[in-house]
């Protein structure tokens, strides 16, 4: 079966870098996603990476993909208090159910 | 309006009530989804509609009844719910369903926070 795993909690100081990690199981995933959920809100697509890439940078966000280890990470540089949220890793579900499988989410707390 | 909207944002209902959740997308997408997010479980896919046809029912109890009259609107009709059905119900849409690649990128609404008493 498919499983996307994330650590549940991360606390950093404002201005530091945050690294949120995710492991996934489906090696045939074409895209992998990061979503952000702020308190009381729905999920916001943050960024994505195509499976033939190792790294993608988008302003303060850097996504690293290690296909061999099926490991995905999201690095947030110069973390701000507004980055406090839950971050979900997601991959397309396995064949037969073409939806997204989400991890349980990592709650990022940014200390001022 | 743009994006994916959901109404109501909050709903409190008794176990004998009947209510409906509404989702509307303004993105020109063809696939729409209902997800359940509860405190103790990861995001759970409930239903998928592609071009108004239901293509996925993830073993959801019959007290949840979806309806998709057109590609822009999705409803979730609720009746005789249980307290354990209290959760955040999220609607999402994507350009299409069943393909690989960016077609699957899903855009979410803000959710309806449901409390069943």
């Amino acid at each position: 079966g498919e499983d996307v795993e994330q650590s549940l909690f991360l606390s950093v100081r404002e201005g530091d870098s945050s690294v949120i990690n995710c492991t996934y199981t489906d090696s045939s995933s074409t895209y992998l996603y990061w979503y952000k959920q702020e308190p009381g809100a729905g999920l916001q697509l943050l960024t994505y990476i195509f499976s033939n890439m190792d790294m993608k940078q988008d302003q303060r966000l850097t996504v690293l993909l290690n296909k061999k280890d099926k490991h995905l990470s999201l690095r947030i540089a110069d973390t701000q208090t507004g980055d406090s949220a839950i971050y979900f890793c997601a991959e397309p579900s396995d064949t037969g159910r073409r939806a997204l499988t989400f991890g349980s989410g990592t709650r990022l707390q940014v200390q001022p | 309006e743009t994006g994916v909207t959901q109404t109501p944002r909050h709903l409190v209902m008794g176990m004998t009530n009947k209510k409906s959740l509404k989702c509307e997308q303004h993105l020109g997408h063809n696939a729409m989804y209902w997800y359940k997010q509860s405190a103790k479980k990861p995001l759970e896919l409930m239903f998928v509609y592609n071009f108004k046809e239901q293509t996925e029912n993830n073993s959801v109890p019959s007290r949840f009844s979806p309806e998709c009259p057109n590609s822009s609107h999705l409803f979730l009709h609720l009746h005789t719910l249980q307290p354990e059905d209290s959760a955040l119900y999220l609607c999402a849409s994507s350009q299409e369903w069943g393909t690989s690649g960016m077609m699957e990128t899903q855009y979410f609404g803000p959710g309806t926070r449901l409390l069943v008493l």
Side-chain angles (χ1 to χ4, degrees):
Chain A
E2 61 213 29
D3 201 10
V4 178
E5 295 190 354
Q6 302 178 237
S7 54
L8 292 180
F9 187 76
L10 175 65
S11 180
V12 301
R13 290 194 178 277
E14 191 173 17
D16 288 350
S17 293
S18 308
V19 180
I20 302 171
N21 295 302
C22 169
T23 57
Y24 61 96
T25 56
D26 187 356
S27 58
S28 65
S29 293
T30 51
Y31 285 87
L32 292 149
Y33 302 89
W34 284 104
Y35 282 84
K36 175 184 180 182
Q37 185 178 33
E38 296 180 353
L43 274 67
Q44 171 196 353
L45 178 63
L46 199 58
T47 188
Y48 59 90
I49 187 167
F50 189 40
S51 59
N52 70 351
M53 298 168 67
D54 298 324
M55 184 181 83
K56 178 181 178 182
Q57 186 147 8
D58 183 2
Q59 299 182 333
R60 292 191 297 120
L61 305 178
T62 303
V63 180
L64 295 176
L65 176 61
N66 181 331
K67 286 195 70 176
K68 176 176 171 290
D69 295 336
K70 296 179 188 172
H71 183 265
L72 183 72
S73 68
L74 174 69
R75 179 178 180 271
I76 306 173
D78 187 25
T79 312
Q80 304 296 308
T81 54
D83 295 323
S84 293
I86 301 175
Y87 291 81
F88 293 89
C89 168
E91 65 166 343
S93 302
D94 58 13
T95 54
R97 293 189 60 240
R98 302 299 294 182
L100 291 179
T101 299
F102 288 83
S104 53
T106 299
R107 182 179 295 276
L108 174 64
Q109 183 178 70
V110 182
Q111 311 274 8
Chain B
E1 289 198 68
T2 58
V4 182
T5 58
Q6 290 186 242
T7 54
R9 293 294 309 277
H10 297 88
L11 179 62
V12 180
M13 59 187 289
M15 290 191 284
T16 59
N17 291 159
K18 289 184 180 181
K19 296 286 184 183
S20 295
L21 309 185
K22 179 182 175 183
C23 175
E24 184 173 359
Q25 57 95 1
H26 308 269
L27 300 169
H29 289 166
N30 295 306
M32 297 186 78
Y33 310 75
W34 279 118
Y35 286 87
K36 176 183 178 183
Q37 186 180 32
S38 56
K40 297 183 179 179
K41 290 186 179 181
L43 209 59
E44 297 175 87
L45 178 67
M46 300 175 72
F47 300 104
V48 181
Y49 276 82
N50 195 39
F51 291 93
K52 302 186 296 179
E53 299 295 322
Q54 187 180 130
T55 53
E56 189 79 21
N57 177 338
N58 193 20
S59 303
V60 180
S62 59
R63 58 186 183 270
F64 295 91
S65 174
E67 180 190 358
C68 189
N70 55 61
S71 293
S72 299
H73 293 86
L74 184 65
F75 295 89
L76 188 62
H77 304 300
L78 316 172
H79 62 99
T80 59
L81 293 192
Q82 304 298 310
E84 60 264 28
D85 297 321
S86 299
L88 181 68
Y89 288 85
L90 291 163
C91 174
S93 70
S94 66
Q95 191 169 344
E96 283 188 30
W97 175 90
T99 62
S100 63
M102 287 305 293
M103 295 291 194
E104 295 162 334
T105 301
Q106 295 178 21
Y107 296 85
F108 284 79
T112 295
R113 176 73 62 186
L114 173 67
L115 177 62
V116 181
L117 300 176

